[in-house]
mmCIF file of all heavy atoms in Angstrom:
data_model
loop_
_atom_site.group_PDB
_atom_site.id
_atom_site.type_symbol
_atom_site.label_atom_id
_atom_site.label_comp_id
_atom_site.label_asym_id
_atom_site.label_seq_id
_atom_site.Cartn_x
_atom_site.Cartn_y
_atom_site.Cartn_z
ATOM 1 N N LEU X 1 50.454 126.545 -104.882
ATOM 2 C CA LEU X 1 49.107 126.223 -105.283
ATOM 3 C C LEU X 1 48.794 126.861 -106.640
ATOM 4 O O LEU X 1 48.626 128.105 -106.669
ATOM 5 C CB LEU X 1 48.089 126.705 -104.196
ATOM 6 C CG LEU X 1 46.590 126.525 -104.609
ATOM 7 C CD1 LEU X 1 46.249 125.027 -104.697
ATOM 8 C CD2 LEU X 1 45.683 127.225 -103.605
ATOM 9 N N PRO X 2 48.726 126.125 -107.711
ATOM 10 C CA PRO X 2 48.391 126.712 -108.982
ATOM 11 C C PRO X 2 46.910 127.119 -109.004
ATOM 12 O O PRO X 2 46.006 126.339 -108.605
ATOM 13 C CB PRO X 2 48.603 125.589 -110.018
ATOM 14 C CG PRO X 2 49.460 124.559 -109.315
ATOM 15 C CD PRO X 2 49.053 124.726 -107.884
ATOM 16 N N ILE X 3 46.594 128.386 -109.411
ATOM 17 C CA ILE X 3 45.236 128.849 -109.505
ATOM 18 C C ILE X 3 44.977 129.257 -110.972
ATOM 19 O O ILE X 3 45.622 130.173 -111.502
ATOM 20 C CB ILE X 3 44.958 130.049 -108.576
ATOM 21 C CG1 ILE X 3 45.233 129.650 -107.099
ATOM 22 C CG2 ILE X 3 43.547 130.547 -108.734
ATOM 23 C CD1 ILE X 3 45.007 130.744 -106.118
ATOM 24 N N VAL X 4 44.120 128.473 -111.625
ATOM 25 C CA VAL X 4 43.934 128.590 -113.088
ATOM 26 C C VAL X 4 42.584 129.297 -113.371
ATOM 27 O O VAL X 4 41.580 129.066 -112.664
ATOM 28 C CB VAL X 4 43.912 127.190 -113.732
ATOM 29 C CG1 VAL X 4 43.713 127.335 -115.243
ATOM 30 C CG2 VAL X 4 45.177 126.410 -113.414
ATOM 31 N N ASN X 5 42.563 130.168 -114.335
ATOM 32 C CA ASN X 5 41.342 130.782 -114.808
ATOM 33 C C ASN X 5 41.432 130.984 -116.308
ATOM 34 O O ASN X 5 42.553 131.000 -116.857
ATOM 35 C CB ASN X 5 41.137 132.144 -114.088
ATOM 36 C CG ASN X 5 39.689 132.646 -114.318
ATOM 37 O OD1 ASN X 5 38.832 131.983 -114.812
ATOM 38 N ND2 ASN X 5 39.442 133.889 -113.905
ATOM 39 N N GLU X 6 40.313 131.118 -116.953
ATOM 40 C CA GLU X 6 40.332 131.474 -118.371
ATOM 41 C C GLU X 6 40.832 132.911 -118.514
ATOM 42 O O GLU X 6 40.509 133.772 -117.641
ATOM 43 C CB GLU X 6 38.923 131.374 -119.006
ATOM 44 C CG GLU X 6 38.896 131.656 -120.452
ATOM 45 C CD GLU X 6 38.011 130.711 -121.244
ATOM 46 O OE1 GLU X 6 36.933 130.372 -120.735
ATOM 47 O OE2 GLU X 6 38.342 130.356 -122.360
ATOM 48 N N ASN X 7 41.593 133.209 -119.534
ATOM 49 C CA ASN X 7 42.184 134.534 -119.712
ATOM 50 C C ASN X 7 41.084 135.449 -120.289
ATOM 51 O O ASN X 7 41.119 135.772 -121.504
ATOM 52 C CB ASN X 7 43.377 134.436 -120.611
ATOM 53 C CG ASN X 7 44.238 135.737 -120.484
ATOM 54 O OD1 ASN X 7 43.728 136.762 -119.973
ATOM 55 N ND2 ASN X 7 45.441 135.696 -120.976
ATOM 56 N N ASP X 8 40.166 135.842 -119.505
ATOM 57 C CA ASP X 8 39.014 136.708 -119.983
ATOM 58 C C ASP X 8 39.444 138.051 -120.424
ATOM 59 O O ASP X 8 38.694 138.778 -121.129
ATOM 60 C CB ASP X 8 37.974 136.814 -118.875
ATOM 61 C CG ASP X 8 37.237 135.519 -118.548
ATOM 62 O OD1 ASP X 8 36.858 134.814 -119.495
ATOM 63 O OD2 ASP X 8 37.125 135.170 -117.355
ATOM 64 N N THR X 9 40.631 138.476 -120.023
ATOM 65 C CA THR X 9 41.089 139.822 -120.401
ATOM 66 C C THR X 9 41.386 139.920 -121.873
ATOM 67 O O THR X 9 41.183 140.967 -122.506
ATOM 68 C CB THR X 9 42.350 140.196 -119.572
ATOM 69 O OG1 THR X 9 42.046 140.096 -118.215
ATOM 70 C CG2 THR X 9 42.802 141.600 -119.863
ATOM 71 N N VAL X 10 41.859 138.870 -122.497
ATOM 72 C CA VAL X 10 42.248 138.918 -123.910
ATOM 73 C C VAL X 10 41.458 137.953 -124.803
ATOM 74 O O VAL X 10 41.443 138.109 -126.012
ATOM 75 C CB VAL X 10 43.727 138.616 -124.097
ATOM 76 C CG1 VAL X 10 44.556 139.627 -123.342
ATOM 77 C CG2 VAL X 10 44.089 137.234 -123.616
ATOM 78 N N ALA X 11 40.818 136.940 -124.237
ATOM 79 C CA ALA X 11 40.197 135.924 -125.036
ATOM 80 C C ALA X 11 38.971 136.468 -125.758
ATOM 81 O O ALA X 11 38.171 137.192 -125.222
ATOM 82 C CB ALA X 11 39.756 134.736 -124.156
ATOM 83 N N VAL X 12 38.848 136.096 -127.028
ATOM 84 C CA VAL X 12 37.599 136.391 -127.754
ATOM 85 C C VAL X 12 36.875 135.060 -127.936
ATOM 86 O O VAL X 12 37.353 134.023 -127.618
ATOM 87 C CB VAL X 12 37.970 137.009 -129.153
ATOM 88 C CG1 VAL X 12 38.510 138.385 -129.015
ATOM 89 C CG2 VAL X 12 38.887 136.111 -129.952
ATOM 90 N N ASN X 13 35.625 135.155 -128.449
ATOM 91 C CA ASN X 13 34.733 133.972 -128.397
ATOM 92 C C ASN X 13 35.388 132.769 -129.017
ATOM 93 O O ASN X 13 35.271 131.677 -128.489
ATOM 94 C CB ASN X 13 33.460 134.287 -129.106
ATOM 95 C CG ASN X 13 32.524 135.157 -128.193
ATOM 96 O OD1 ASN X 13 32.685 135.140 -127.019
ATOM 97 N ND2 ASN X 13 31.583 135.881 -128.842
ATOM 98 N N GLU X 14 36.060 132.909 -130.140
ATOM 99 C CA GLU X 14 36.587 131.725 -130.797
ATOM 100 C C GLU X 14 37.807 131.127 -130.057
ATOM 101 O O GLU X 14 38.213 130.022 -130.374
ATOM 102 C CB GLU X 14 37.016 132.021 -132.232
ATOM 103 C CG GLU X 14 38.070 133.140 -132.422
ATOM 104 C CD GLU X 14 37.407 134.502 -132.595
ATOM 105 O OE1 GLU X 14 36.298 134.698 -132.147
ATOM 106 O OE2 GLU X 14 38.121 135.354 -133.218
ATOM 107 N N LEU X 15 38.329 131.834 -129.075
ATOM 108 C CA LEU X 15 39.487 131.354 -128.297
ATOM 109 C C LEU X 15 39.077 130.924 -126.901
ATOM 110 O O LEU X 15 39.903 130.563 -126.099
ATOM 111 C CB LEU X 15 40.561 132.387 -128.189
ATOM 112 C CG LEU X 15 41.320 132.724 -129.515
ATOM 113 C CD1 LEU X 15 42.411 133.779 -129.233
ATOM 114 C CD2 LEU X 15 41.942 131.462 -130.104
ATOM 115 N N LYS X 16 37.762 131.031 -126.571
ATOM 116 C CA LYS X 16 37.315 130.718 -125.233
ATOM 117 C C LYS X 16 36.921 129.264 -125.068
ATOM 118 O O LYS X 16 36.307 128.678 -125.984
ATOM 119 C CB LYS X 16 36.140 131.621 -124.872
ATOM 120 C CG LYS X 16 36.542 133.094 -124.667
ATOM 121 C CD LYS X 16 35.305 133.965 -124.379
ATOM 122 C CE LYS X 16 34.752 133.736 -122.938
ATOM 123 N NZ LYS X 16 35.713 134.212 -121.908
ATOM 124 N N VAL X 17 37.244 128.714 -123.907
ATOM 125 C CA VAL X 17 36.671 127.420 -123.562
ATOM 126 C C VAL X 17 35.202 127.559 -123.355
ATOM 127 O O VAL X 17 34.359 126.749 -123.732
ATOM 128 C CB VAL X 17 37.344 126.831 -122.308
ATOM 129 C CG1 VAL X 17 36.707 125.528 -121.863
ATOM 130 C CG2 VAL X 17 38.846 126.616 -122.527
ATOM 131 N N GLY X 18 34.830 128.723 -122.718
ATOM 132 C CA GLY X 18 33.400 129.072 -122.587
ATOM 133 C C GLY X 18 32.906 128.982 -121.175
ATOM 134 O O GLY X 18 32.039 129.739 -120.781
ATOM 135 N N ASP X 19 33.336 127.992 -120.405
ATOM 136 C CA ASP X 19 32.939 127.831 -119.049
ATOM 137 C C ASP X 19 34.027 127.166 -118.275
ATOM 138 O O ASP X 19 34.850 126.428 -118.825
ATOM 139 C CB ASP X 19 31.631 127.056 -118.898
ATOM 140 C CG ASP X 19 31.802 125.633 -119.313
ATOM 141 O OD1 ASP X 19 32.160 124.817 -118.454
ATOM 142 O OD2 ASP X 19 31.619 125.291 -120.512
ATOM 143 N N ASN X 20 34.119 127.408 -116.956
ATOM 144 C CA ASN X 20 35.219 126.865 -116.206
ATOM 145 C C ASN X 20 35.025 125.479 -115.703
ATOM 146 O O ASN X 20 35.928 124.863 -115.167
ATOM 147 C CB ASN X 20 35.530 127.844 -114.998
ATOM 148 C CG ASN X 20 36.469 128.963 -115.438
ATOM 149 O OD1 ASN X 20 36.824 129.084 -116.605
ATOM 150 N ND2 ASN X 20 36.944 129.758 -114.473
ATOM 151 N N ASP X 21 33.845 124.883 -115.882
ATOM 152 C CA ASP X 21 33.659 123.492 -115.613
ATOM 153 C C ASP X 21 34.497 122.683 -116.650
ATOM 154 O O ASP X 21 35.286 121.812 -116.271
ATOM 155 C CB ASP X 21 32.186 123.096 -115.685
ATOM 156 C CG ASP X 21 31.381 123.711 -114.567
ATOM 157 O OD1 ASP X 21 31.906 123.783 -113.440
ATOM 158 O OD2 ASP X 21 30.201 124.104 -114.860
ATOM 159 N N ASN X 22 34.288 122.982 -117.914
ATOM 160 C CA ASN X 22 35.038 122.288 -118.973
ATOM 161 C C ASN X 22 36.497 122.672 -118.931
ATOM 162 O O ASN X 22 37.393 121.851 -119.209
ATOM 163 C CB ASN X 22 34.423 122.567 -120.304
ATOM 164 C CG ASN X 22 33.177 121.733 -120.629
ATOM 165 O OD1 ASN X 22 33.269 120.546 -120.822
ATOM 166 N ND2 ASN X 22 32.012 122.344 -120.572
ATOM 167 N N LEU X 23 36.789 123.911 -118.576
ATOM 168 C CA LEU X 23 38.246 124.312 -118.398
ATOM 169 C C LEU X 23 38.867 123.432 -117.330
ATOM 170 O O LEU X 23 39.986 122.942 -117.505
ATOM 171 C CB LEU X 23 38.349 125.769 -118.032
ATOM 172 C CG LEU X 23 39.752 126.241 -117.714
ATOM 173 C CD1 LEU X 23 40.632 126.216 -118.954
ATOM 174 C CD2 LEU X 23 39.738 127.676 -117.143
ATOM 175 N N ALA X 24 38.143 123.234 -116.215
ATOM 176 C CA ALA X 24 38.670 122.368 -115.145
ATOM 177 C C ALA X 24 38.915 120.956 -115.615
ATOM 178 O O ALA X 24 39.911 120.312 -115.222
ATOM 179 C CB ALA X 24 37.730 122.382 -113.948
ATOM 180 N N ALA X 25 38.036 120.437 -116.501
ATOM 181 C CA ALA X 25 38.279 119.090 -117.038
ATOM 182 C C ALA X 25 39.519 119.020 -117.859
ATOM 183 O O ALA X 25 40.331 118.099 -117.747
ATOM 184 C CB ALA X 25 37.062 118.671 -117.867
ATOM 185 N N TYR X 26 39.727 120.046 -118.710
ATOM 186 C CA TYR X 26 40.972 120.108 -119.507
ATOM 187 C C TYR X 26 42.198 120.217 -118.616
ATOM 188 O O TYR X 26 43.215 119.556 -118.891
ATOM 189 C CB TYR X 26 40.916 121.318 -120.456
ATOM 190 C CG TYR X 26 39.981 121.138 -121.653
ATOM 191 C CD1 TYR X 26 38.972 122.027 -121.898
ATOM 192 C CD2 TYR X 26 40.135 120.042 -122.526
ATOM 193 C CE1 TYR X 26 38.125 121.920 -122.965
ATOM 194 C CE2 TYR X 26 39.252 119.908 -123.597
ATOM 195 C CZ TYR X 26 38.247 120.847 -123.821
ATOM 196 O OH TYR X 26 37.397 120.667 -124.861
ATOM 197 N N VAL X 27 42.110 121.001 -117.565
ATOM 198 C CA VAL X 27 43.239 121.152 -116.641
ATOM 199 C C VAL X 27 43.544 119.797 -115.943
ATOM 200 O O VAL X 27 44.715 119.417 -115.772
ATOM 201 C CB VAL X 27 42.993 122.224 -115.600
ATOM 202 C CG1 VAL X 27 44.074 122.251 -114.506
ATOM 203 C CG2 VAL X 27 42.917 123.567 -116.256
ATOM 204 N N ALA X 28 42.460 119.079 -115.588
ATOM 205 C CA ALA X 28 42.669 117.756 -114.988
ATOM 206 C C ALA X 28 43.417 116.816 -115.954
ATOM 207 O O ALA X 28 44.250 116.026 -115.531
ATOM 208 C CB ALA X 28 41.332 117.138 -114.571
ATOM 209 N N LEU X 29 43.073 116.881 -117.210
ATOM 210 C CA LEU X 29 43.719 116.054 -118.225
ATOM 211 C C LEU X 29 45.180 116.421 -118.411
ATOM 212 O O LEU X 29 46.057 115.571 -118.436
ATOM 213 C CB LEU X 29 42.954 116.189 -119.563
ATOM 214 C CG LEU X 29 41.543 115.547 -119.576
ATOM 215 C CD1 LEU X 29 40.841 115.966 -120.891
ATOM 216 C CD2 LEU X 29 41.611 114.041 -119.516
ATOM 217 N N VAL X 30 45.442 117.750 -118.494
ATOM 218 C CA VAL X 30 46.790 118.235 -118.688
ATOM 219 C C VAL X 30 47.662 117.857 -117.480
ATOM 220 O O VAL X 30 48.785 117.411 -117.623
ATOM 221 C CB VAL X 30 46.832 119.782 -118.869
ATOM 222 C CG1 VAL X 30 48.282 120.261 -118.938
ATOM 223 C CG2 VAL X 30 46.072 120.188 -120.101
ATOM 224 N N ALA X 31 47.113 118.060 -116.276
ATOM 225 C CA ALA X 31 47.837 117.830 -115.044
ATOM 226 C C ALA X 31 47.962 116.351 -114.665
ATOM 227 O O ALA X 31 48.636 116.028 -113.708
ATOM 228 C CB ALA X 31 47.176 118.593 -113.920
ATOM 229 N N GLU X 32 47.253 115.484 -115.450
ATOM 230 C CA GLU X 32 47.221 114.065 -115.145
ATOM 231 C C GLU X 32 46.722 113.809 -113.703
ATOM 232 O O GLU X 32 47.306 113.041 -112.918
ATOM 233 C CB GLU X 32 48.560 113.400 -115.389
ATOM 234 C CG GLU X 32 48.986 113.442 -116.839
ATOM 235 C CD GLU X 32 50.356 112.939 -117.141
ATOM 236 O OE1 GLU X 32 51.167 112.786 -116.221
ATOM 237 O OE2 GLU X 32 50.644 112.601 -118.301
ATOM 238 N N ALA X 33 45.697 114.564 -113.316
ATOM 239 C CA ALA X 33 45.061 114.445 -112.019
ATOM 240 C C ALA X 33 44.257 113.099 -112.029
ATOM 241 O O ALA X 33 43.911 112.580 -113.077
ATOM 242 C CB ALA X 33 44.140 115.629 -111.720
ATOM 243 N N ASP X 34 44.002 112.584 -110.819
ATOM 244 C CA ASP X 34 43.130 111.403 -110.725
ATOM 245 C C ASP X 34 41.703 111.791 -110.354
ATOM 246 O O ASP X 34 40.824 110.941 -110.407
ATOM 247 C CB ASP X 34 43.674 110.381 -109.769
ATOM 248 C CG ASP X 34 44.010 110.943 -108.373
ATOM 249 O OD1 ASP X 34 43.091 111.519 -107.761
ATOM 250 O OD2 ASP X 34 45.183 110.853 -107.923
ATOM 251 N N THR X 35 41.526 113.033 -109.995
ATOM 252 C CA THR X 35 40.188 113.496 -109.477
ATOM 253 C C THR X 35 39.915 114.910 -109.897
ATOM 254 O O THR X 35 40.804 115.805 -109.877
ATOM 255 C CB THR X 35 40.169 113.409 -107.934
ATOM 256 O OG1 THR X 35 40.460 112.079 -107.546
ATOM 257 C CG2 THR X 35 38.797 113.780 -107.390
ATOM 258 N N LEU X 36 38.638 115.166 -110.261
ATOM 259 C CA LEU X 36 38.139 116.527 -110.455
ATOM 260 C C LEU X 36 36.979 116.731 -109.438
ATOM 261 O O LEU X 36 36.083 115.915 -109.392
ATOM 262 C CB LEU X 36 37.628 116.675 -111.864
ATOM 263 C CG LEU X 36 36.802 117.970 -112.183
ATOM 264 C CD1 LEU X 36 37.662 119.222 -111.971
ATOM 265 C CD2 LEU X 36 36.200 117.963 -113.596
ATOM 266 N N ILE X 37 37.130 117.787 -108.655
ATOM 267 C CA ILE X 37 36.100 118.153 -107.671
ATOM 268 C C ILE X 37 35.483 119.451 -108.052
ATOM 269 O O ILE X 37 36.160 120.503 -108.118
ATOM 270 C CB ILE X 37 36.694 118.230 -106.236
ATOM 271 C CG1 ILE X 37 37.323 116.906 -105.827
ATOM 272 C CG2 ILE X 37 35.634 118.653 -105.252
ATOM 273 C CD1 ILE X 37 38.118 116.959 -104.547
ATOM 274 N N ILE X 38 34.220 119.476 -108.456
ATOM 275 C CA ILE X 38 33.485 120.664 -108.827
ATOM 276 C C ILE X 38 32.662 121.185 -107.664
ATOM 277 O O ILE X 38 31.727 120.517 -107.225
ATOM 278 C CB ILE X 38 32.612 120.399 -110.079
ATOM 279 C CG1 ILE X 38 33.430 119.937 -111.277
ATOM 280 C CG2 ILE X 38 31.836 121.689 -110.430
ATOM 281 C CD1 ILE X 38 32.575 119.541 -112.442
ATOM 282 N N CYS X 39 33.062 122.356 -107.129
ATOM 283 C CA CYS X 39 32.320 122.940 -106.039
ATOM 284 C C CYS X 39 31.238 123.820 -106.630
ATOM 285 O O CYS X 39 31.505 124.824 -107.282
ATOM 286 C CB CYS X 39 33.254 123.783 -105.165
ATOM 287 S SG CYS X 39 34.503 122.810 -104.286
ATOM 288 N N SER X 40 29.956 123.437 -106.323
ATOM 289 C CA SER X 40 28.842 124.139 -106.916
ATOM 290 C C SER X 40 28.039 124.807 -105.835
ATOM 291 O O SER X 40 28.492 124.864 -104.619
ATOM 292 C CB SER X 40 27.942 123.107 -107.646
ATOM 293 O OG SER X 40 26.844 123.719 -108.203
ATOM 294 N N ASP X 41 26.871 125.370 -106.145
ATOM 295 C CA ASP X 41 25.970 125.933 -105.165
ATOM 296 C C ASP X 41 24.817 124.992 -104.892
ATOM 297 O O ASP X 41 23.758 125.427 -104.425
ATOM 298 C CB ASP X 41 25.486 127.316 -105.517
ATOM 299 C CG ASP X 41 24.884 127.333 -106.958
ATOM 300 O OD1 ASP X 41 24.715 126.221 -107.541
ATOM 301 O OD2 ASP X 41 24.474 128.439 -107.409
ATOM 302 N N ILE X 42 24.968 123.738 -105.287
ATOM 303 C CA ILE X 42 24.000 122.727 -105.101
ATOM 304 C C ILE X 42 24.679 121.450 -104.676
ATOM 305 O O ILE X 42 25.875 121.277 -104.902
ATOM 306 C CB ILE X 42 23.174 122.525 -106.428
ATOM 307 C CG1 ILE X 42 21.897 121.743 -106.199
ATOM 308 C CG2 ILE X 42 24.026 121.888 -107.470
ATOM 309 C CD1 ILE X 42 20.995 121.768 -107.403
ATOM 310 N N ASP X 43 23.935 120.523 -104.026
ATOM 311 C CA ASP X 43 24.575 119.368 -103.373
ATOM 312 C C ASP X 43 25.151 118.363 -104.400
ATOM 313 O O ASP X 43 26.020 117.536 -104.034
ATOM 314 C CB ASP X 43 23.575 118.641 -102.452
ATOM 315 C CG ASP X 43 23.233 119.441 -101.249
ATOM 316 O OD1 ASP X 43 23.994 120.373 -100.958
ATOM 317 O OD2 ASP X 43 22.187 119.157 -100.631
ATOM 318 N N GLY X 44 24.649 118.373 -105.633
ATOM 319 C CA GLY X 44 25.077 117.373 -106.619
ATOM 320 C C GLY X 44 24.082 117.227 -107.690
ATOM 321 O O GLY X 44 23.296 118.157 -107.920
ATOM 322 N N LEU X 45 24.075 116.095 -108.355
ATOM 323 C CA LEU X 45 23.091 115.845 -109.419
ATOM 324 C C LEU X 45 21.839 115.159 -108.791
ATOM 325 O O LEU X 45 21.973 114.167 -108.044
ATOM 326 C CB LEU X 45 23.683 114.887 -110.496
ATOM 327 C CG LEU X 45 22.784 114.540 -111.673
ATOM 328 C CD1 LEU X 45 22.443 115.765 -112.509
ATOM 329 C CD2 LEU X 45 23.421 113.434 -112.521
#
């Protein structure tokens, strides 16, 4: 099970994606996934 996170230990602002929602979207593109599931603390939009 790959577990991805932004490298907050070394990243500076200009190297940061900034939030893990958009990071997850980039990972979905790299991985050629067919689905992105964002688990939030709210039911949806």
